[in-house]
């Protein structure tokens, strides 16, 4: 392209702009997971206005479908882009964002695009640009700066050149958004593996990642810590706002915007003026003010600050390129800023004196508030409510409308949640003045950043009869959950305020967007609320305008239209609970408030444990459940509705067929009884039919349609709430409503909870190896939980409230040792939750600076009693005297009183009696982790001494291996050969106190300095994207129907939608990466599966946590995929990291670890490390015997498997013994005619004969020194997926038969025998006998490699 105005033309290599929707969230929008696109940009320095930067970039992203050619006019400073192909779905702002992120143009931030000389609006779609078509051209022209743009440009450049330093963020904790993936396997290793450069793997190579792994080693703390990193190259010394800022009035009129101060790496200091035309070096100094340009030849200027720095510092270009190379050593996803979700905060962090926690000097850190928000700090103030409601009113007709609407919604919720959490922290710390300072503390309200804050406590007595502060705390939590449900339903015309709750320093705060008119004083006689209860249940308001929208909500939530009565006995008919209120805002919108009672009370629980309802009037008040807000979960109501609907459909089908059979009996002679299967439900009135699989020849493959308009199951949420009907008819109706609610409670108690325990029992009996029948599972959710969080998710998905933890523990206890893992996990969670409530009580009225001392003392009383029988709270008495109204009762707590209080809380809240000596049987490290996550603690990562030295040596080895050990080596591993004495020595060295520490600190397990930070725990009401989930489900269905091409297209579309709507770094995107990686693995698209699994790992680490159970499962899947792609050593590295994370999360011998250990054994066997492989199989068998018993079919299957491994390890005698054990169990459990019994009998006979033969020739073999030939098995032990928590093995394995999931080896007996005897290549010989199972696709095969789906 010819250069204009006579200037020398510049050429640039063509490149493809990344046009993925940037999610309005900064740099992360430019990276997606669909394609790998090569980018080559060459910008040559031909004038002082340009920056010399040449680099070949790898951008991972969807093509924007734009082939562009970049040229720059030196005088006009324009970027011309040819657009031969335009995507009509993209907006101009998306293209603009991509330009800002490209390496060749990231110095631009203040510019606009032109087409045919006309300025293009940034907020229109490309299809709306007049005249833009294939072969068209858009030009980038730099704009004059405003003060705001100059400030934002400076912030951006500081980030870009690595001059921003570290930040102390009140919301984001230490190492927030940490990723360890590149520490586990360096990026260059994964890149080489993905390019096909597989690591050389030979039998002589004995160094494999599992070489020194010790199953019984303590929990490796350093597994979740980042490695020490090289400091990034410094491009400048400092860049800050000058002390001469802001410009005086007369210079502001001349275009001066800011004054900056730059210190280069050469030590030169420059004063810079930010002008509307750009940046230039002025003549000012630290003592003299002269903001005008320097004279020639020092009059250096540039439109971009980046270009100006490059001209002023000779070393800048080289150091900037070095910085980019340093940043490229990590996966880009590990570096991008998280903007659409709150990053995860690790509970263990590096010590404050380590290089990872070094605090740097940066004067601009104090200026960032001004740079981001301006002098008046008004630029960040937003009308949150108007943004929420206007976004909800956006059109949703087309797919593009829905994408834009949901993307904006996701970003808005992320911004609001962050702003509300920051404001809540300030309120909790007493830094915001209340609007009503004369009220008591719990009744005070606050407004900060246009967000209304209040405490989750009963400050005004609203919940006095329901349980006071406890009821109020639960109510606000239920309210957020209710708002989330309503947001997910997205009913047109019904609006909710932005709502979030924040738990911080023992306080629960509620942040809500300010609804217009909520504080308005109504006229006399008018109610403050337009629909529902006004003052409790005494006054009830009705408004016909709210009925249509409330009825839609009630129908979706299975809520019955019902009558309520006010204090005067007047009847009112409501569509929802009387507690749920409707408010007509001054903006004309209909708002729904107080959504904590969307479902009825759990009357079964309350009648047992709440004195006002029980028949036992003598029940003492102190034995009451803490509150009366025990409601049913929406999931259980939905499950009950589906159960009843299925029964209704079945009855209708049977009635229809009986009538039909009566008419056609002579023709067909009757028909078999059919069990219809409900395939789908549509509850809309205009299409109230359900499709039923007729499973009948007469249907000719067609589905029957059943009208369900006559089916109606809905619950009255106001039963058992002191309603007083006036007539007999009303009383009868209320009695029927009560009966319906009791039926749901009975369904929960009698079926759902026992079924869950039974499912987990079946799971522990080897569901992870595929023996659990799929038809035994209601939802296929059988993955065994790893910690309290995963257990809670599993319970909630089934509609079980956390108050039933005690009942689940009791049911598990009845099963004996088979469900010991579930019982211990439930007990641990009850203890952690009880400790949380106790700690909140002590810290609620405590000054923030003493919170760490309080929590450290409580932790010493709970977990450090063995190390110090009488811990003392260390509080500075001088500081204590400054806070005369604070609650210092925590200083009186001792181990005995705390444990008594925990026992009382567990009994009160969960109705479970802890066993005697429970404190000595807990897993200390795992319990500490649960407590830290629930309270938001960030502790120094060190080996905490939970036991005294003598106890650690003599009596607690069992607990140490479960994560309670005070000792690990410096790298977190203990080699197999390390003896206990050396371990203790290393441990003592790690935990030895500094010589300056006091004696009290040296013998206490925890001290205040160990709690380096407390972060808020945030619960929001952000809905999920229905559009992205619909596309994902459609892709799955297409794949199940064998429509591979359509299915893959839909899956890619779903991935694109997830990335566009949520942004890359979001928990939902991590989950879709995980699911899609599984699907691609099943389609044998190994490279795509590995890439998606790697992204799932990194995004999970950064948004869910480096030791979250979902992160562990992602690592396990990634290991499986790498192994299937031939990178077994890389796979073993991932597997080892996952196993070490497992130790931290759960401890040893998790039931699902049987699959994982088998995976590692198969991988070692693949590397021909047969002896090590045998040891791993033995460990898997040992866990199985502990979990399932020695005489279970699952143990027999593993014995069969181990026998094969022993044969490969040349242990013929051991192989025979194990095969005999397998045969005996199969014979006893399955009978002599079972295929497994027959197959194991055949193997046993052949192995016995050959063992005898080998024994006879052993002496000859030794004398003649015959060298045995080690042959690789022609068919190695198989691999299979490992289910995620809440997913069945069958789902993870893509529908393989459960009984056949644990296949025996597909080689014949003769093949294996010849291999044992050192015979020749079995592939050249015909086996003497073929087993029937060889051609059976459901054959039982050896090991398994499980994916955590």
């Amino acid at each position: 392209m010819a250069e204009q105005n006579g200037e020398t033309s510049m050429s640039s290599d063509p490149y493809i702009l990344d046009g993925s929707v940037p999610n309005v969230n900064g740099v992360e929008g430019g990276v997606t997971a669909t394609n790998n696109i090569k980018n080559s940009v060459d910008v040559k320095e031909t004038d002082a206005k340009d920056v010399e930067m040449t680099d070949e970039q790898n951008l991972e992203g969807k093509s924007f479908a734009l082939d562009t050619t970049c040229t720059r006019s030196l005088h006009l400073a324009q970027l011309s882009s040819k657009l031969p192909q335009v995507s009509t779905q993209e907006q101009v702002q998306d293209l603009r964002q991509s330009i800002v992120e490209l390496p060749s143009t990231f110095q631009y931030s203040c510019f606009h695009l032109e087409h045919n000389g006309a300025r293009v609006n940034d907020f229109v779609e490309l299809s709306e640009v007049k005249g833009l078509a294939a072969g068209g051209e858009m030009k980038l022209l730099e704009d004059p700066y405003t003060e705001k743009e100059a400030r934002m440009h400076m912030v951006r450049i500081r980030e870009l050149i690595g001059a921003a330093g570290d930040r102390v963020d009140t919301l984001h904790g230490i190492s927030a958004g940490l990723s360890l993936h590149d520490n586990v396997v360096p990026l260059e290793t994964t890149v080489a593996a993905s390019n096909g450069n597989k690591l050389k793997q030979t039998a002589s190579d004995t160094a494999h990642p599992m070489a020194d792994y010790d199953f019984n080693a303590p929990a490796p703390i350093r597994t979740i810590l980042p490695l020490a990193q090289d400091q990034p190259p410094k491009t400048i010394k400092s860049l800050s706002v000058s002390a001469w800022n802001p410009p005086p009035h007369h210079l502001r009129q001349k275009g001066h915007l800011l004054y900056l101060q730059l210190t280069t790496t050469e030590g030169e200091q420059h004063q810079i003026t930010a002008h509307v035309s750009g940046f230039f070096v002025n003549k000012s100094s630290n003592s003299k003010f002269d903001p005008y340009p320097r004279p020639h030849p020092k009059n250096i200027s540039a439109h971009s600050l980046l270009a100006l720095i490059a001209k002023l510092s000779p070393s800048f270009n080289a150091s900037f390129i070095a910085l980019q190379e340093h940043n490229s050593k990590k996966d880009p996803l590990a570096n991008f800023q998280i903007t659409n979700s709150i990053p995860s905060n690790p509970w263990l962090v590096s010590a404050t004196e380590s290089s990872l926690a070094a605090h740097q000097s940066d004067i601009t850190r104090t200026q960032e508030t001004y740079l981001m928000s301006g002098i008046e700090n008004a630029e960040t103030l937003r009308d949150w409510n108007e943004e929420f409601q206007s976004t909800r009113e956006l059109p949703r007709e087309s797919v593009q409308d829905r994408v834009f609407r949901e993307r904006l919604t996701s970003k808005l919720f992320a911004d609001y949640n962050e702003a509300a959490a920051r404001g809540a922290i300030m309120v909790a710390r007493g830094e915001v003045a209340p609007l009503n300072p004369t009220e008591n503390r719990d009744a005070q309200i606050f407004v900060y950043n246009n967000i209304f804050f209040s405490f989750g406590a009963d400050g005004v007595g609203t919940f006095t009869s329901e349980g006071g502060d406890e009821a109020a705390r639960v109510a606000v939590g239920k309210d957020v959950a209710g708002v989330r449900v309503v947001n997910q339903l997205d009913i047109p015309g019904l609006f909710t305020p932005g709502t979030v709750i924040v738990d911080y320093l023992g306080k629960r705060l509620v942040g809500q967007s300010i609804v217009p008119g909520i504080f308005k004083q109504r006229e006399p006689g008018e109610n403050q609320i337009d629909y529902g209860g006004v003052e409790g249940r005494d006054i009830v308001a009705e408004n016909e305008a709210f009925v249509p929208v409330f009825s839609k909500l009630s129908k979706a939530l299975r809520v019955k239209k019902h009558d309520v009565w006010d204090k005067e006995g007047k009847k009112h008919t409501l569509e929802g609970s009387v507690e749920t209120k409707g408010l007509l805002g001054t903006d004309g919108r209909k708002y729904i408030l107080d959504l904590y009672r969307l479902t009825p009370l759990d009357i079964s629980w309350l009648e047992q444990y709440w004195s006002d309802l029980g028949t036992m009037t003598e029940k003492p008040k102190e034995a009451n459940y803490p509150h009366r807000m025990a409601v049913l979960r929406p999931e259980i109501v939905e499950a009950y509705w589906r159960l009843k609907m299925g029964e209704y459909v079945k009855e209708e089908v049977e009635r229809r067929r009986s009538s039909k059979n009566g008419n056609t009996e002579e023709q067909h002679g009757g028909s078999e009884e059919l069990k219809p299967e409900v395939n789908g439900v549509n509850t809309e009135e205009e299409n109230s039919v359900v499709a039923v699989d007729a499973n009948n020849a007469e249907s000719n493959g067609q589905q029957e349609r059943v009208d369900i308009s006559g089916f109606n199951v809905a619950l009255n949420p106001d039963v058992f709430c002191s309603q007083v009907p006036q007539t007999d008819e009303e009383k009868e109706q209320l009695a029927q409503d009560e009966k319906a609610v009791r039926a749901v409670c009975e369904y929960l108690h009698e079926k759902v909870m026992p079924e869950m325990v039974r499912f987990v029992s079946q799971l522990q009996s080897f569901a992870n190896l595929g023996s659990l029948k799929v038809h035994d599972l209601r939802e296929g959710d059988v993955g065994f939980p790893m910690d309290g969080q995963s257990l809670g998710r599993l319970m909630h998905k089934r509609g079980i409230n956390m108050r039933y933890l005690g009942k689940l523990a009791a049911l598990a206890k009845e099963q004996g040792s088979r469900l010991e893992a579930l019982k211990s996990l439930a007990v641990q969670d009850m203890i952690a939750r009880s400790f949380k409530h106790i700690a909140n009580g002590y810290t609620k009225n405590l000054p923030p600076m003493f919170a760490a001392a309080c929590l450290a003392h409580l932790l010493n009383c709970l977990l450090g009693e063995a190390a110090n029988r009488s811990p003392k709270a260390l509080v500075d008495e001088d500081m204590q005297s400054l806070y005369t109204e604070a609650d210092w009762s925590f200083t009186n707590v001792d181990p005995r009183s705390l444990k008594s209080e925990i026992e009382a809380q567990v009994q009160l809240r969960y109705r479970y009696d802890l066993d005697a000596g429970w404190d000595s049987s807990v897993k200390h490290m795992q319990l500490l982790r649960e407590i830290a996550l629930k309270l938001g603690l960030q502790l120094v990562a060190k080996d905490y001494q939970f036991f005294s030295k003598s106890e650690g040596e003599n009596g607690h080895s069992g607990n140490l291996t479960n994560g309670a050990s005070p000792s690990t080596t410096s790298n977190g591993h203990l080699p197999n050969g390390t003896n206990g004495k050396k371990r203790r020595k290393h441990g003592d060295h790690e935990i030895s106190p500094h010589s300056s520490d006091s004696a009290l600190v040296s013998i206490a397990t925890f001290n205040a300095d160990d709690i380096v930070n407390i972060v808020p725990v945030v619960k929001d009401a952000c809905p999920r994207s229905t559009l992205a989930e619909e596309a994902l489900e459609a892709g799955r269905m297409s794949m199940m129907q064998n429509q591979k091409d359509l299915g893959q297209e839909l899956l890619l579309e779903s991935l694109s939608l997830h990335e566009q709507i949520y942004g890359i770094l979001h928990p939902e995107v991590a989950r879709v990466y995980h699911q899609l990686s599984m699907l691609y693995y099943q389609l044998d698209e190994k490279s795509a599966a590995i890439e998606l699994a790697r992204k799932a790992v990194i995004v999970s680490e950064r948004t869910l946590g480096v030791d979250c159970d979902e992160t562990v499962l992602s690592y396990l899947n990634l290991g499986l995929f790498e192994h299937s792609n031939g990178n077994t050593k890389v796979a073993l590295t991932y597997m080892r990291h996952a196993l070490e994370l497992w130790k931290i999360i759960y401890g040893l011998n998790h039931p699902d670890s049987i699959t994982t250990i088998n995976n590692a054994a198969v991988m070692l066997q693949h590397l021909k490390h047969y002896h090590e492989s045998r040891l791993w199989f033995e460990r898997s068998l040992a866990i199985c015997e502990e979990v399932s018993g020695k005489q279970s079919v699952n143990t027999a299957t593993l014995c069969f498997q181990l026998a094969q491994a022993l044969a490969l390890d040349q242990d013929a005698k051991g192989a025979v013994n194990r095969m005999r054990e397998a045969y005996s169990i199969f014979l006893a459990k399955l009978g002599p005619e079972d295929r497994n019994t027959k197959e194991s009998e055949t193997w046993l006979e052949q192995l016995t004969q050959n063992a005898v033969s080998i024994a006879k020739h052993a002496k000859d073999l030794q004398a003649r020194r015959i060298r045995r030939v080690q042959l690789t098995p022609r068919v190695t032990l198989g691999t299979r997926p490992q289910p995620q928590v809440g997913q069945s093995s069958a789902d993870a394995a893509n529908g393989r038969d459960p009984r056949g999931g644990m296949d025996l080896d597909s080689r014949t007996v003769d093949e294996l025998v010849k291999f044992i005897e050192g015979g020749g290549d079995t592939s050249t010989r015909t086996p003497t006998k073929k087993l029937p199972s060889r051609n059976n696709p459901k054959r039982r095969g050896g090991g398994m490699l499980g994916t955590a789906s």
Side-chain angles (χ1 to χ4, degrees), residues 769-975:
L769 296 184
S771 64
L772 186 61
K773 294 180 175 62
V774 177
H775 62 75
D776 286 339
L777 304 177
R778 289 182 56 84
E779 299 292 339
D781 301 336
V782 298
F784 195 93
M786 298 184 192
D787 59 358
Q789 289 179 314
S790 54
L791 177 60
R793 288 197 304 270
L794 188 61
M795 292 174 63
H796 286 166
K797 191 169 185 179
R798 294 177 177 273
I800 304 174
N801 304 81
M802 297 311 296
R803 60 178 171 270
Y804 287 109
L805 272 172
K807 184 171 178 61
L808 286 178
L811 290 173
K813 190 175 181 179
E814 293 173 0
Q815 301 290 328
S817 59
R818 290 171 58 81
L819 282 182
E820 180 62 30
L822 177 62
K823 179 212 162 188
S824 64
L825 196 57
V827 169
Q828 175 179 285
D829 201 33
M830 286 188 285
I831 295 171
R833 289 174 179 272
S834 299
F835 181 90
K836 177 189 73 172
H837 288 291
I838 295 169
N840 285 340
Y842 286 119
T843 57
K844 180 179 180 180
N845 298 313
L846 199 65
M849 68 172 296
F850 297 100
C854 172
L855 293 169
H857 177 62
L858 295 178
L859 288 173
N860 280 327
C861 292
L862 176 64
L863 299 174
E865 182 188 9
N868 185 348
R869 299 291 181 183
S870 302
K872 302 295 181 183
L874 301 180
V875 180
D876 190 322
E877 294 182 358
D878 293 335
M879 293 293 101
Q880 185 176 352
S881 62
L882 298 176
Y883 299 92
T884 57
E885 298 181 357
D887 179 9
W888 305 102
S889 57
F890 77 91
T891 57
N892 301 322
V893 177
D894 57 34
R896 177 174 296 181
S897 64
L898 178 62
K899 289 172 184 176
S900 298
E901 198 169 354
I902 288 176
E903 291 171 359
Q905 286 289 322
V906 170
Q907 213 291 320
L908 181 67
R909 296 179 181 276
Y910 308 105
R911 302 298 160 170
Y912 184 82
D913 295 320
L914 294 174
D915 296 335
W918 61 268
D919 54 313
S920 60
S921 61
V922 297
K923 303 174 183 177
H924 291 70
M925 182 58 65
Q926 286 69 38
L927 181 56
L928 175 61
R929 175 180 177 272
E930 293 283 358
I931 291 171
L933 293 177
K934 286 175 171 57
L935 291 174
L937 307 184
Q938 290 192 296
L939 298 99
V940 172
K942 67 178 185 180
D943 298 319
Y944 290 100
Q945 188 173 359
F946 296 112
F947 304 103
S948 63
K949 189 171 182 180
S950 59
E951 288 174 322
E953 293 175 357
N954 299 328
H956 291 276
S957 59
N959 284 334
L960 295 182
T961 59
N962 277 328
S965 170
S967 59
T968 58
T969 57
S970 59
N971 62 0
H973 312 149
L974 283 176

Side-chain angles (χ1 to χ4, degrees), residues 88-89 172 432 558 596 613 701 965 1063 1065 1093 1137 1162 1189 1192 1204:
T88 59
Q89 296 184 354
H172 302 157
V432 179
R558 321 303 178 196
Y596 53 83
L613 289 175
S965 170
L1065 299 175
H1137 182 71
V1162 174
S1192 67
Q1204 294 177 325

Side-chain angles (χ1 to χ4, degrees), residues 549-567:
V549 290
F550 268 62
S551 63
K552 293 180 181 179
L553 175 64
S554 299
K555 187 173 183 179
L557 297 176
R558 321 303 178 196
V559 172
K560 181 180 181 180
K561 184 176 181 179
H562 61 282
D563 299 330
V564 296
W565 295 265
D566 58 24
K567 64 180 179 180

